[in-house]
Amino acid sequence: MKGLSLSDSDFTCIWWVYKQSWIAPWEQASYKFLVNIKDGVIVTNFVQAPKNPIIQPGTTPPGSPPTRVSDVLFLTHQALCSNDLECLKRLRWVFHINVSNQETKDVVNRALANLQYPSPVSRGWPGAILVPSRSTTETADQAAVAMLGCPNGHGIAYLLSQHVAQYGHKIIDQVNVFTDSTGEPRIAWRFLDIS
């Protein structure tokens, strides 16, 4: 990961594919994560989550896969850390690359346009650095709040709120919005311990 002083050799690639008989073919799921437990970095490289789970919450068959991306991400991280709380608490970054959710893409495009960033090809890392705050008077603050409100932002907030016991009390203190060489959006969420 250029710009963060991370070694590619410290990343483990995990690819989850769910093709259970009780899941309709259009509801099957696939997740690909790159995880660096040493430096506390998770990269979601490919996510195809079920769009319309056919099983209602609370009625999922035993042994069935979780349907939220944040749950799969947590279970992956927890397994690689072997349930070691110190390892889990080192989580500092989650990157979303290959963002496929159209609503998230629309929010990214509006946020960058409002910040008057140049053409997509020149928006490489670190891109727009957005700092969420309680004051939304600055355009960058408004863009950060918008990013937290998009589907990818919901997942990150859910991840942190549902796993306080494992991750500790963390807040999202920075959102980097950038694009790859083709102009496709990427998002990086940086966490700060507050306890």
Side-chain angles (χ1 to χ4, degrees), residues 74-90:
F74 171 73
L75 292 171
T76 301
H77 191 213
Q78 183 181 42
L80 288 172
C81 282
S82 303
N83 289 320
D84 176 20
L85 287 181
E86 290 307 311
C87 175
L88 289 166
K89 288 181 180 181
R90 280 196 296 268

Side-chain angles (χ1 to χ4, degrees), residues 104-174:
T104 296
K105 285 181 174 185
D106 292 344
V107 170
V108 167
N109 290 332
R110 280 193 308 272
L112 293 178
N114 288 341
L115 292 171
Q116 299 177 345
Y117 267 75
S119 67
V121 174
S122 64
R123 293 185 197 151
W125 178 261
I129 300 173
L130 312 174
V131 180
S133 70
R134 294 180 186 204
S135 164
T136 57
T137 56
E138 296 293 324
T139 306
D141 291 341
Q142 293 171 354
V145 171
M147 294 306 305
L148 293 171
C150 74
N152 290 62
H154 292 168
I156 294 298
Y158 188 83
L159 172 74
L160 295 180
S161 68
Q162 293 300 303
H163 302 290
V164 172
Q166 295 86 0
Y167 288 133
H169 294 280
K170 294 185 184 301
I171 60 169
I172 299 167
D173 79 321
Q174 179 176 305

Side-chain angles (χ1 to χ4, degrees), residues 4-170:
L4 288 178
S5 301
L6 302 173
S7 170
D8 289 346
S9 64
D10 290 330
F11 282 87
T12 302
C13 180
I14 303 292
W15 197 313
W16 294 71
V17 178
Y18 297 122
K19 293 186 178 185
Q20 300 291 329
S21 61
W22 60 270
I23 301 177
W26 58 88
E27 295 301 341
Q28 295 175 2
S30 181
Y31 309 93
K32 183 178 181 183
F33 303 122
L34 303 169
V35 183
N36 174 334
I37 60 172
K38 182 181 125 213
D39 297 304
V41 178
I42 300 173
V43 178
T44 64
N45 190 14
F46 177 80
V47 173
Q48 181 182 350
K51 290 180 179 59
N52 301 303
I54 58 173
I55 305 293
Q56 294 299 316
T59 62
T60 307
S64 62
T67 57
R68 285 189 182 96
V69 175
S70 57
D71 292 338
V72 178
L73 191 143
F74 171 73
L75 292 171
T76 301
H77 191 213
Q78 183 181 42
L80 288 172
C81 282
S82 303
N83 289 320
D84 176 20
L85 287 181
E86 290 307 311
C87 175
L88 289 166
K89 288 181 180 181
R90 280 196 296 268
L91 182 63
R92 294 290 172 260
W93 289 93
V94 171
F95 284 77
H96 289 156
I97 60 175
N98 300 324
V99 174
S100 60
N101 179 288
Q102 190 58 51
E103 184 179 344
T104 296
K105 285 181 174 185
D106 292 344
V107 170
V108 167
N109 290 332
R110 280 193 308 272
L112 293 178
N114 288 341
L115 292 171
Q116 299 177 345
Y117 267 75
S119 67
V121 174
S122 64
R123 293 185 197 151
W125 178 261
I129 300 173
L130 312 174
V131 180
S133 70
R134 294 180 186 204
S135 164
T136 57
T137 56
E138 296 293 324
T139 306
D141 291 341
Q142 293 171 354
V145 171
M147 294 306 305
L148 293 171
C150 74
N152 290 62
H154 292 168
I156 294 298
Y158 188 83
L159 172 74
L160 295 180
S161 68
Q162 293 300 303
H163 302 290
V164 172
Q166 295 86 0
Y167 288 133
H169 294 280
K170 294 185 184 301

